[in-house]
Every structure is written in C-alpha cells, then in structure tokens.
C-alpha cells in the first residue's frame, strides 16, 4: 500500500523500542500517517516460531485493514481444541478453539515470533530498523528527546515509544524500576520446543496436579511443551541463568509421575534453550510522561492468561490513530482512555483464568474438572480444519 507523506503537527520522528507485536503494528500505522518511525530491537533479527498467541477481538479489524488477514490465516496453527487429560492420558474434557468461530468470529492462533515476523515484513520497506541495540538513556526537553544507545550513535527524536515488553527498558528509564510496576501472579512459566511433531496435531493437551500444569501444544509441526506452576517470587533471579531455570522447573515437578511429565522433565534437563519467566502483570498509573509513551506489555501486560497479543495490536493502532489526529499530549490521553477500557477487564479476568488453568488444591482441581465436563458437553464441537 502506498504510504501518505503528510507532516503531523510537526511531530515526524518516532523512536519505537521493541520490534515485537506492538512495535511493528505501531510502526506500520505511523508510517501510513506520515510519521518517520525508527524501530530499535534488542534481538539480532526476527526469529520464527515461539509460544502460540492469539489474534482475536479488536485486533482482527486492525490486521484486516493492514491487508494481513489471509497471511495470518496461512500462518495459524491447525489447533482446533484443548483437551484436559488425566494421569493415564485419558480425556477429562475437550473444548473447541481457534479458526473461524460461530457467528463469524475470527480467532487465529499463531506462533508469537511468526506473528511478529509477518507484521515486520509488512512494515520493513517504510521503516528504519536497528537490530542488536537498546536504548540506554532518555533526556527530554521542550522540543524532543535525546536518546543514547548501547551500540549506535546518539540521536534526537520527536517522540519515544516503549513497545519493549514486560521487562521494558523505556519504562525503567522513564518511569522507574520494574519492581514498582510489575506484579508477580504467584505463577511461573517455562516453555521449550520438542523439535518434532505432537502425537495429536489438532489438540493442546493439558495435565494438572494441584498448583501445576504440564502441556504439549502441537504448534505448527514442532510441538511446544509448557510448564506453568505456582511459586513465590525468586529474589535475584537472572533472566539468562538457564541452569537455574531448569532446576526450578525440575524441582517443581520432580515428584510427578503422571502422564508424560517424567519424559518431559528429561527434555528440560537436556535442553539448551528454555523460555522461563514469572507470570506477571504491569500496573502503571499513567502510560505516558511528556514525549514518552508505552504500548503493549510494557504498558499493561495482562499476563499469558489474558489476550496480550490482541491487546498489543489494538493498542498500537489506537495510539497511531490518536497521534495522527493531533498533538501528542491529547493523543496520549485519548489512547490511554480508549485502550484502558479494553485492558482492565482482561487483567481482572486473567486471575480467574489462572485459577481455572492451574487450580491450587486437590478439591479445586476436582471441582474444575467436574465443571469442565459439564461445560464441554454443552459447547458445540469445533469445525474440522
Ligand atoms: C509463554 C507465553 C504464552 C502466551 N500466550 C498467549 C496467548 O495464548 N494469547 C495471547 O494473546 N497472548 C499470549 N501471551 C502474551 C503475548 O505474548 C504478549 O502479550 C505479547 O507478545 C505482547 O506484545 P508486545 O509487542 O507488547 O511485547 P513482545 O511481543 O514481548 O515484544 C517486545 C519486543 O521488544 C524487544 N525488546 C525487549 N527489550 C528490549 C530492549 N531493551 N530494547 C529493544 N528491544 C527490546 C523484544 O525482543 C521483543 O521483540 C503469552 C506470553 C507468554 C510469555
């Protein structure tokens, strides 16, 4: 699509920290409205695969307007259901998910990095990308923001956006330390590729014991294992300490003999790559300060129990539209008013979803399973894809 070249209220240059879901979506829409976005991304390049995330609700019209719906459909997993299993692998209850739902609702499930890569490919020709770098300093004055980088030369921008996820550098530099804003939900998540297909290519399998969930997701060929378990915050945890992460997962599940858990734990012990993080939410009283604003998980992470990827797309679009309509102060206020109405209910729901997915007690688990059996019987089966 040809991009317009109008100047918007003298605000032309926008630095976006983070080339993920929110960052790429925002860059696309800002370029379309005549801004000159630059994206700085810490990773060395765009990767593929990753944990499957959703495109649904308010994100669907946004990606459709970007002309990406068919590409996203083609990249979606072929998952049509989620199945609770018992220790012997027998089905407790099955729920339909994904695809084109009844009443014309589209819900696509796509590996996170594939979604980011598709958004990136749509954006790359019109936006400057700087990989393998990160912002180290932000100094704002009346006319702009002076930015320093770990590797690149210092530069000045009209606006700076933090789209750099749960552990946002922009949030830390502009609003203060992460501990003030990031709240651990008392749950940890670990995930890894099984580097081969799942036995069941269409169903996500979920096995619970009190306070613990182990699952296998078929993804798009290379199945993903995930471990979601309850536990307190670990002080001083280094986000790059793979050996420690592996130990924490193994300790949490080592007495578990049911389903595929012993075999999956062996895979964890042997893994050279394991995603591991606390399941957290971000609570910020304001999403902007002067010429600096946050979007996506950096502003309002609802956790993996919410709809973070769809919210990231919808929030980025709302921010771009607000900026295109007028000055940054009013635009940031408008964006926050509109988008908080979407994120707050999802944030509250996330705690409830956590309780359903990882019940704490034996009684809680039995009650959840009994309810799931009844609920599964009254839900229609998903159409085969
Ligand atoms: C295991 C797991 C499962 C999930 N499942 C779902 C799901 O089923 N459905 C759903 O809707 N959501 C899910 N989510 C949440 C979803 O992934 C996030 O809400 C979504 O990715 C947020 O998008 P974002 O663009 O704000 O952040 P991200 O996608 O995290 O992107 C942030 C980008 O910023 C970059 N970055 C980070 N720090 C810096 C820095 N200092 N400088 C420069 N760049 C930086 C990162 O490399 C990344 O590219 C899940 C999350 C996890 C962890």
């Amino acid at each position: 699509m040809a991009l317009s070249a109008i100047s918007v209220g003298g605000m032309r240059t926008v630095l976006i920290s983070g080339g993920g879901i929110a960052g790429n979506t925002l860059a696309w829409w800002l370029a379309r409205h005549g801004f000159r976005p630059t994206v700085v991304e810490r990773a060395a390049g765009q990767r593929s695969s990753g944990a499957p995330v959703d495109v649904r609700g308010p994100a669907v019209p946004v990606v459709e307007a970007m002309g990406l719906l068919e590409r996203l459909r083609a990249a979606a997993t072929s998952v049509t259901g989620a199945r609770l299993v018992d220790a012997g692998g027998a089905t407790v209850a099955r729920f339909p998910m994904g695809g084109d739902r009844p009443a014309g609702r589209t819900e696509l499930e796509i590996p996170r990095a594939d979604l980011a890569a598709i958004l990136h490919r749509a954006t790359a020709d019109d936006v400057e990308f700087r990989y393998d770098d990160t912002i180290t300093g932000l100094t704002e004055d009346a006319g702009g923001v002076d930015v320093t980088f770990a590797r690149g030369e210092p530069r000045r921008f009209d606006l700076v956006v933090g789209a750099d996820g749960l552990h946002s550098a922009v949030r830390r530099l502009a609003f203060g330390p992460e501990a003030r804003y990031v709240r651990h939900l008392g749950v940890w998540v670990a995930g890894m590729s099984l580097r081969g297909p799942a036995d069941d290519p269409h169903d996500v399998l979920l096995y619970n014991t009190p306070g613990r969930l182990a699952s296998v997701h078929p993804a798009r060929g290379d199945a993903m294992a995930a471990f979601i378990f309850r536990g307190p915050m670990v002080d001083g945890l280094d986000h790059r300490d793979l050996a420690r992460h592996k130990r924490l997962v193994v300790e949490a599940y080592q007495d578990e003999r049911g389903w595929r858990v012993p075999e999956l734990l062996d895979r964890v012990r042997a893994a050279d790559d394991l995603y591991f993080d606390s399941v957290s939410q971000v609570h910020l009283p304001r999403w902007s300060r002067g010429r600096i604003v946050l979007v996506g998980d950096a502003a309002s992470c609802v956790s993996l129990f919410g709809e973070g990827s769809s919210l990231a797309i919808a929030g980025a679009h709302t921010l771009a539209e607000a900026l295109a309509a007028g000055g940054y102060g009013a635009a940031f206020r408008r964006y926050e008013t509109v988008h908080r109405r979407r994120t707050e209910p999802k944030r509250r729901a996330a705690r409830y979803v956590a309780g359903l997915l990882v019940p704490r007690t034996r009684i809680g688990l039995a009650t959840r399973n009994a309810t799931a059996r009844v609920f599964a019987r009254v839900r229609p089966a998903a159409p085969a894809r």
Side-chain angles (χ1 to χ4, degrees):
M1 180 182 300
L3 303 182
S4 63
I6 42 166
S7 172
V8 188
M11 302 176 299
R12 301 273 308 165
T13 57
V14 183
L15 176 65
I16 301 170
S17 174
I21 296 167
N24 277 301
T25 308
L26 179 66
W28 192 94
W29 284 99
L30 285 180
R32 189 178 187 208
H33 287 304
F35 291 83
R36 287 211 322 270
T38 298
V39 177
V40 56
E41 165 59 49
R42 189 179 52 183
Q46 295 284 330
R47 292 181 304 172
S48 61
S49 76
V53 298
D54 303 302
V55 176
R56 58 163 73 168
V60 175
V62 176
V63 295
E64 195 165 18
M66 294 169 78
L68 297 179
L69 197 51
E70 287 318 310
R71 246 173 283 173
L72 293 175
R73 258 192 235 284
T77 69
S78 55
V79 165
T80 54
R83 195 144 54 86
L84 303 177
V85 296
D86 66 15
T91 301
V92 174
R94 183 181 185 278
F95 303 94
M97 60 185 276
D100 291 311
R101 309 285 313 138
R105 251 178 30 237
T106 298
E107 292 180 7
L108 302 176
E109 194 200 43
I110 302 165
R112 194 207 74 89
D114 293 353
L115 172 58
I118 289 170
L119 293 166
H120 172 73
R121 277 200 293 280
T123 312
D125 288 347
D126 304 301
V127 172
E128 176 194 358
F129 277 81
R130 297 171 61 157
Y131 287 102
D132 199 15
D133 208 351
T134 184
I135 298 173
T136 53
L138 296 168
T139 310
E140 182 177 345
D141 58 35
V145 188
D146 291 314
V147 184
T148 54
F149 299 92
R151 294 162 67 89
E153 291 298 308
R155 271 170 70 175
R156 187 170 171 82
F157 293 88
D158 293 323
L159 303 172
V160 173
V161 183
D164 40 7
L166 175 61
H167 304 292
S168 168
V170 170
R171 191 185 57 226
R172 177 170 40 77
L173 291 167
F175 294 82
E178 180 167 315
R180 261 191 231 161
Y181 307 111
V182 175
R183 294 193 198 153
H184 178 54
L185 291 186
V187 180
W188 294 90
V189 58
M192 60 183 285
S193 168
L194 294 178
R195 298 197 174 122
D199 295 341
D200 185 332
H202 296 298
D203 279 1
V204 185
L205 303 187
L206 306 154
Y207 170 64
N208 282 99
T209 49
R212 294 181 296 203
L213 168 74
S215 77
V216 171
H217 191 300
R220 278 179 62 81
D222 275 340
M224 300 278 306
F227 301 85
I228 304 179
F229 57 98
R230 294 188 178 272
M233 197 58 197
V234 178
D235 287 332
L237 184 71
D238 180 342
H239 288 282
R240 286 153 303 180
D241 189 347
L242 174 65
R244 179 99 192 269
H245 299 166
K246 286 159 86 166
R247 259 199 324 276
L248 286 165
V249 178
V250 170
E251 279 165 15
Y253 289 82
Q254 62 191 352
D255 61 342
E256 180 54 62
R257 296 282 164 267
W259 190 53
R260 295 179 56 185
V261 174
E263 170 217 331
L264 293 175
L265 274 196
D266 284 342
R267 303 289 291 263
V268 170
R269 289 187 188 94
D272 52 19
D273 188 17
L274 180 78
Y275 171 84
F276 185 85
D277 206 349
S278 78
V279 178
S280 298
Q281 294 189 330
V282 171
H283 293 255
L284 267 169
R286 287 278 309 276
W287 292 345
S288 64
R289 178 163 291 174
R291 292 172 174 268
I292 301 166
V293 66
L294 303 172
V295 68
D297 275 6
S300 58
C301 177
V302 292
S303 85
L304 63 92
F305 302 125
E307 292 173 17
S309 49
S310 298
L311 291 171
I313 290 170
H317 174 250
T318 301
L319 175 57
E321 294 300 296
L323 282 168
Y328 66 87
F332 291 170
R333 283 193 295 279
R334 166 107 191 110
Y335 147 66
E336 186 163 340
T337 304
V338 171
H339 195 54
R340 270 198 198 270
R341 285 203 287 265
R342 298 185 188 117
T343 58
E344 288 306 317
K346 300 295 175 195
R347 198 206 321 259
R348 286 193 293 273
R351 284 186 178 273
Y352 174 72
V353 175
L356 283 180
L357 266 180
V358 197
R360 289 169 202 274
T361 62
R362 213 160 277 287
I363 293 176
L365 182 53
T367 310
R368 192 281 310 264
N369 285 351
T371 313
R373 278 192 198 96
V374 173
F375 192 64
R377 249 177 253 134
V378 298
R379 290 280 304 267
R385 283 201 277 158

